[in-house]
Amino acid sequence: MTRPPDPAPAARLRARVFFAIWPAAVIARRLHKEGERAHGLTGGRRMRRDTLHLTLAFIGDIPRERLDALRAAADKVAFAPFTFRVDRIARWRHNHIVWAGASGLPEELESLVTQLNSALADGGFPVERRNFAAHVTLLRNARGELPAAELAPPIEWPVGEFVLVESDPRPEGAQYRVLQSWPGVFGSQS
Ligand code: ATP
Ligand code: MG
């Protein structure tokens, strides 16, 4: 028996959502290239170039009618544009993820995540209790060892906005749709 196709995400009653920063194509290309290099050593599944992102806060499955409250929470966040210097590539053994990240967490990024989490908590949304680990997932199910390495030269990622994204889980990998973006404001207290 054939199942009817799943409804389009926007027609569903619930949405799987998260806040993220999304690289411009030129940065995504460089990140993707690093993933290719690592893949030669570790194997695994490469994330598609257009899906590469850094998750700031994962909300998960919520009723679609709560999206406005989520947007209102994000409206409270003030941040100044900054540059995220991606200078490391490594593999986590516990989940077999190869990721790109930074040796230091930029103050602005830390502030952005702290503000988001506090606005989410105020809005009654679940917040992550674990420490924030800024990373862009490049490979999943990467079984081979990868010695942590410096990226030389580092990737200078200009961050001018953050986005709210809906994730549509599919067998071939999640599909993402940006629902809204919030630009950084020069001179804002972050
Ligand atoms: P897939 O699950 O299909 O492999 P994915 O993990 O990218 O793809 P989602 O599970 O919808 O898709 O996750 C969206 C983003 O949120 C990803 O960056 C993912 O790493 C992150 N994420 C997912 N679950 C959590 C969680 N429990 N805590 C923190 N971040 C999460
Ligand atoms: Mg997932």
Side-chain angles (χ1 to χ4, degrees):
M1 207 167 71
T2 54
R3 273 195 324 138
D6 286 342
R12 289 179 203 147
L13 293 176
R14 301 180 73 82
R16 180 179 175 90
V17 286
F18 60 102
F19 287 102
I21 54 178
W22 218 269
V26 60
I27 301 297
R29 241 191 310 276
R30 289 204 53 198
L31 290 165
H32 196 241
K33 196 88 194 147
E34 293 301 330
E36 183 177 23
R37 237 193 287 277
H39 185 263
L41 294 169
T42 64
R45 175 162 63 92
R46 286 181 79 193
M47 300 295 99
R48 290 201 318 275
R49 181 174 62 75
D50 58 310
T51 66
L52 297 176
H53 64 275
L54 185 150
T55 299
L56 299 171
F58 180 77
I59 321 298
D61 211 33
I62 57 167
R64 200 166 286 279
E65 69 224 25
R66 291 277 285 146
L67 285 177
D68 280 347
L70 198 55
R71 291 183 159 105
D75 285 344
K76 294 189 204 158
V77 173
F79 85 101
F82 62 96
T83 300
F84 182 41
R85 168 179 284 225
V86 178
D87 61 5
R88 257 174 86 75
I89 181 158
R91 172 179 172 269
W92 281 322
R93 288 192 177 160
H94 66 282
N95 56 9
H96 310 116
I97 276 178
V98 169
W99 55 274
S103 45
L105 185 62
E107 236 173 77
E108 297 93 334
L109 182 53
E110 189 174 5
S111 160
L112 180 51
V113 170
T114 305
Q115 289 184 61
L116 255 182
N117 280 335
S118 115
L120 289 172
D122 289 350
F125 292 99
V127 291
E128 180 69 74
R129 286 173 193 288
R130 289 177 303 184
N131 272 343
F132 175 65
H135 70 280
V136 177
T137 298
L138 301 177
L139 307 174
R140 290 188 195 274
N141 200 20
R143 298 285 155 172
E145 291 290 330
L146 181 75
E150 303 266 311
L151 288 192
I155 301 172
E156 304 281 355
W157 174 355
V159 179
E161 62 175 26
F162 70 92
V163 291
L164 174 63
V165 184
E166 178 167 3
S167 171
D168 179 14
R170 303 267 182 91
E172 70 275 15
Q175 302 271 350
Y176 305 119
R177 187 163 66 100
V178 172
L179 300 180
Q180 191 172 332
S181 62
W182 285 262
V185 176
F186 284 102
S188 87
Q189 195 59 48
S190 60

